[in-house]
């Protein structure tokens, strides 16, 4: 019934091959009464067995958009276009990329090439816009400490939106405008990798239309899944022990140099 | 033809870089005034050079107002040496109210008190505060001939005070040494120096030398055929080169980037709003940015 205006939607991004977390997220979203589920892209990367995520997304009718990773895997590019600058970060990013490219079937790669780049919807009378990195670039990083309010206002203006939701960084956060709390920006984090805070859970967002001044209420929800089982599978697949450690501890061990000073200071490594 | 005419003809054929919007604002808060006078400085900063004087406190605050309206994403303070500014903490405070800030410093004026105040600001505000300290060698023998007598130890001491205050600075290294042509070897040497000094997660940025300012006298400067020509730029280069989305404000007006503030013909007027248009990359330093894919951003 796609012509109905939904009252509650679930939004996640950054599956990174973590099919166990994807299953758990879909279960939770369903239990919470989400009428639609959106995936903001980056299906591959980091985790094991890329082909396992695709049937889960399709069977649950997840509205999926293209992330930079999906663009790269779909077209068979040389790297993930994440835009890392540090040599060690690039080294590890390349390991997961080469693994994912090799292990993603041709039909799934063809499907990635068909994904849309953005979604628009109306929720609680607000114009909501979903994008992967930002509304202006697929691989722009929007971190809490480097995405200030005046810049959010500009993004909203340029995108004709009241609320923007993105992923791509892996750490969830939300900022509302002081002059209009019904407007703002939400990063839903990632369900493929914990949020670098020492907790092994992953995060997604539930958006609910309210009659109140917020227009749309955002709930960032932690998801617990069998991360031990994922670790076993990652080792079987020969993925680096550094990645396994992140899944088992909740702390990032790679891709750290891209973090702003604030987020970096809060991390363990 | 005289050399001037050759240059003129080459510059007339320079490519135009699209402008993607003002994301980054550089504020030359202390202009060309610096407590030291490095031999490789790409602007001729020093204790006596006030060709760009300090920005008045009000000028900075007014500029911040305009920047907020324009939706600027991030701010950089540079000079000269920003910590020579008498109102530096007012300026830092005001900037951090509206966005993340990186301060480029030589570290020498980072006293214990300055470091502690910066540490407080780092923990308190909603936006990121980053410090960038420049160092040009892993020994006094490498660094001091370039940055000045005894500066090696003073710079490291400033960085260590920041670390104790909870701030892990980015170390910027200008790759003027033959030894650092091989970046991986350069990285390794700086990493071990910094780790030995207690920086368990050293952050490093290598910067290519720009052959202008004092560096033009030290090396040979640029040749006329270093200029970029129409057709040299690649698609989307405005997202790589910082002047595709940044401007610099000094006490003397608006410039495309922090590198060209001493090139008189690069000046873009008095007001930020009037400088948000594409520019021609007709300066020799532009060739360095293009070739190295370089951005002064952290
Ligand atoms: S390179 Fe930096 S520290 Fe050295 S003189 Fe120039 S502005 Fe001052
Ligand atoms: S010197 Fe570099 S940053 Fe400055 S205008 Fe030229 S290309 Fe742009
Ligand atoms: Fe991404």
């Amino acid at each position: 019934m796609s012509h109905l205006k939904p009252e509650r939607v679930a939004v996640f991004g950054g599956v990174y091959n973590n099919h166990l977390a994807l299953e758990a997220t879909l279960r939770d979203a369903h239990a919470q009464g989400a009428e639609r589920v959106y995936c903001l892209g980056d299906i591959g990367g980091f985790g094991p067995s890329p082909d396992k995520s695709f049937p889960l997304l399709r069977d649950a009718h997840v509205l999926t958009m293209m992330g930079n990773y999906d663009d790269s895997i779909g077209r068979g590019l040389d790297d993930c276009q994440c835009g890392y600058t540090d040599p060690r970060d690039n080294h590890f990013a390349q390991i997961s990329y080469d693994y994912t490219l090799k292990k993603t079937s041709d039909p799934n790669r063809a499907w990635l090439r068909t994904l849309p780049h953005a979604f628009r919807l109306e929720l609680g009378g607000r114009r909501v816009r979903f994008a992967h990195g930002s509304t202006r670039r697929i691989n722009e990083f929007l971190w809490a400490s480097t995405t200030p309010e005046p810049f959010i206002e500009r993004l909203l203006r340029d995108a004709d939106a009241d609320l923007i939701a993105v992923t791509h960084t892996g750490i969830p956060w939300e900022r509302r405008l002081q002059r209009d709390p019904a407007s703002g920006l939400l990063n839903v984090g990632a369900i493929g990798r914990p949020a670098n805070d020492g907790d092994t859970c992953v995060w997604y967002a539930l958006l609910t239309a309210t009659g109140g001044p917020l227009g749309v209420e955002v709930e960032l929800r932690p998801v617990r899944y069998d991360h031990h089982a994922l670790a076993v599978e990652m080792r079987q697949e020969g993925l680096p022990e550094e990645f396994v450690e992140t899944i088992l501890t909740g702390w990032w061990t790679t891709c750290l140099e891209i973090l702003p000073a604030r987020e970096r200071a809060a991390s363990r490594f | 033809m005289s050399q001037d005419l050759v240059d003129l003809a080459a510059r007339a054929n320079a490519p135009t870089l699209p402008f993607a919007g003002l994301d980054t604002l550089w504020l030359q808060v202390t202009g060309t005034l610096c407590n030291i006078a490095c031999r490789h400085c790409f602007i001729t900063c020093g204790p006596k050079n006030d060709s760009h004087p300090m920005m008045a406190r009000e000028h900075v605050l007014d500029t911040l107002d305009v920047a907020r309206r324009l939706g600027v994403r991030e701010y950089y303070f540079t000079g000269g040496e920003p910590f020579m500014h008498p109102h530096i903490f007012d300026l830092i405070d005001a900037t951090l109210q509206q966005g993340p800030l990186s301060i480029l410093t030589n570290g020498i004026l980072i006293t214990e008190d300055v470091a502690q105040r910066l540490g407080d600001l780092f923990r308190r505000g909603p936006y990121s505060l980053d410090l960038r300290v420049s160092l040009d060698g892993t020994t006094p023998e490498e660094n001091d001939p370039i940055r000045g007598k005894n500066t090696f130890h003073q710079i490291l001491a400033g960085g260590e005070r920041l670390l104790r205050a909870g701030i892990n600075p980015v170390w910027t290294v200008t790759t003027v040494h033959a030894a650092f042509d091989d970046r991986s070897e350069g990285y390794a040497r700086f990493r071990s120096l910094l780790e030995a000094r207690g920086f368990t997660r050293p952050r490093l940025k290598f910067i290519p030398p720009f052959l202008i300012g004092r560096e033009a006298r030290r090396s040979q400067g640029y040749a006329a055929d270093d200029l970029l020509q129409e057709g040299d730029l690649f698609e989307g280069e405005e997202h790589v080169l910082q002047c595709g989305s940044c401007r610099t404000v000094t006490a003397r007006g608006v410039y495309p980037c922090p590198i060209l503030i001493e090139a008189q013909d690069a000046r873009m007027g008095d007001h930020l709003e009037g400088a948000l248009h594409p520019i021609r990359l007709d300066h020799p330093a532009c060739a360095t940015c293009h070739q190295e894919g370089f951005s002064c951003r952290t």
Side-chain angles (χ1 to χ4, degrees), chain A:
Chain A
M1 299 281 249
S2 60
H3 60 278
L4 287 180
K5 283 185 188 164
E7 294 294 308
R8 172 170 285 184
V9 301
V11 192
F12 65 82
V15 180
Y16 309 148
N17 295 336
N18 191 339
H19 55 94
L20 295 179
L22 173 58
E23 259 182 322
T25 303
L26 292 172
R27 247 194 326 270
D28 190 70
H30 187 72
Q32 295 300 317
E35 296 152 73
R36 289 189 202 170
V37 182
Y38 291 87
C39 170
L40 306 190
D42 281 359
I43 296 161
F46 193 76
S49 321
D51 275 343
K52 289 188 183 173
S53 302
F54 292 84
L56 297 172
L57 290 168
R58 285 191 288 248
D59 292 350
H61 304 287
V62 176
L63 295 154
T64 304
M65 80 167 69
M66 188 187 291
N68 54 295
Y69 224 93
D70 312 312
D71 180 37
S72 289
I73 297 288
R75 293 196 286 145
L77 304 185
D78 290 339
D79 62 49
C80 60
Q81 310 176 75
C82 286
Y84 299 130
T85 49
D86 177 74
R88 184 176 177 275
D89 287 353
N90 275 321
H91 167 75
F92 281 105
Q94 199 63 40
I95 292 176
S96 22
Y97 184 74
D98 293 343
Y99 168 83
T100 303
L101 183 60
K102 200 174 82 203
K103 296 241 171 172
T104 307
S105 72
D106 284 344
N108 284 336
R109 290 183 51 217
W111 183 73
L112 289 176
R113 291 194 291 275
T114 68
L115 297 178
H117 281 98
F119 289 118
R120 279 179 178 285
L121 65 152
E122 206 187 292
L123 198 62
R126 310 301 288 174
R127 298 163 304 161
V128 181
R129 170 97 192 252
F130 296 155
H132 179 73
S134 77
T135 38
R136 50 183 205 171
R137 265 201 306 290
I138 193 169
N139 65 352
E140 184 167 27
F141 291 105
L142 297 183
W143 308 99
S145 79
T146 55
T147 309
E149 222 181 290
F151 176 65
I152 292 175
E153 288 211 49
R154 173 173 148 210
L155 289 178
L156 293 172
R157 221 164 33 230
D158 292 349
D160 251 326
D162 302 305
L163 190 66
I164 293 173
V166 299
T167 175
H168 185 57
T169 65
I171 300 182
W173 58 274
E174 185 192 6
R175 180 164 287 136
R176 300 285 183 136
L177 302 184
Q178 274 169 38
R179 64 159 185 79
D180 173 18
S183 296
L185 194 135
L186 162 72
N187 191 316
V188 300
I191 61 164
R193 187 165 75 144
N196 196 27
D197 58 1
D199 193 321
T200 55
C201 70
V202 296
W203 295 85
Y204 81 104
L206 269 183
L207 275 56
T208 306
T210 67
L214 274 186
V216 179
E217 199 176 279
V218 171
E219 185 192 354
L220 286 166
R221 286 187 64 82
V223 176
R224 309 222 164 259
Y225 68 101
D226 191 348
H227 60 285
H228 290 290
L230 193 85
V232 170
E233 191 177 336
M234 287 169 82
R235 286 186 175 130
Q236 279 164 358
E237 289 292 297
L239 290 166
E241 204 47 37
E242 283 83 354
F243 295 173
V244 177
E245 187 182 349
T246 295
I247 289 296
L248 291 178
T249 63
W251 293 107
W252 295 2
T253 53
T254 63
C255 306
L256 283 161
E257 297 308 325
I258 203 77
L259 290 174
R262 163 72 58 91
E263 282 82 356
R264 183 70 205 270
S267 56
R268 169 148 152 215
F269 296 108

